Amino acid sequence: MGSVIMVAPAVLAVGYVLGRLRPWHRLGDWAADQIRFAGPGAHGGLGRQTAVVLAHVLTAPRTSWRIMRTPAAAVPPAAPVRDPDWATRRTHTGTDQGEPT
């Protein structure tokens, strides 16, 4: 009975500290920020990326499932390359000179 009286306040104190620090919530926020803002060129290698994804799956399983189900966005085409000599390469017809056809 005496050990329960000693353990109960310690358990309550640990629970209070964990409630104040909220490590689970902080881990989830960190993982979400890493996934959202790090991009494909994130540094740290495969081990770090595995830890980030695992932390995100554990802390936000519904969001992780939605992210995995969503197809990747199409990559927009690159901007056209401007040719500085376009005026010298065009044909000299009536429409190129601004004359109506």
Side-chain angles (χ1 to χ4, degrees), residues 30-72:
W30 174 81
D33 287 345
Q34 295 301 309
I35 289 174
R36 184 177 299 123
F37 299 119
H43 300 289
L46 183 62
R48 179 183 179 278
Q49 291 301 315
T50 303
V52 167
V53 169
L54 182 61
H56 194 268
V57 167
L58 291 175
T59 57
R62 287 187 293 182
T63 304
S64 298
W65 182 250
R66 181 181 48 81
I67 289 171
M68 287 188 279
R69 286 187 335 195
T70 304

Side-chain angles (χ1 to χ4, degrees), residues 1-9:
M1 183 69 167
S3 63
V4 172
I5 294 174
M6 297 298 288
V7 171

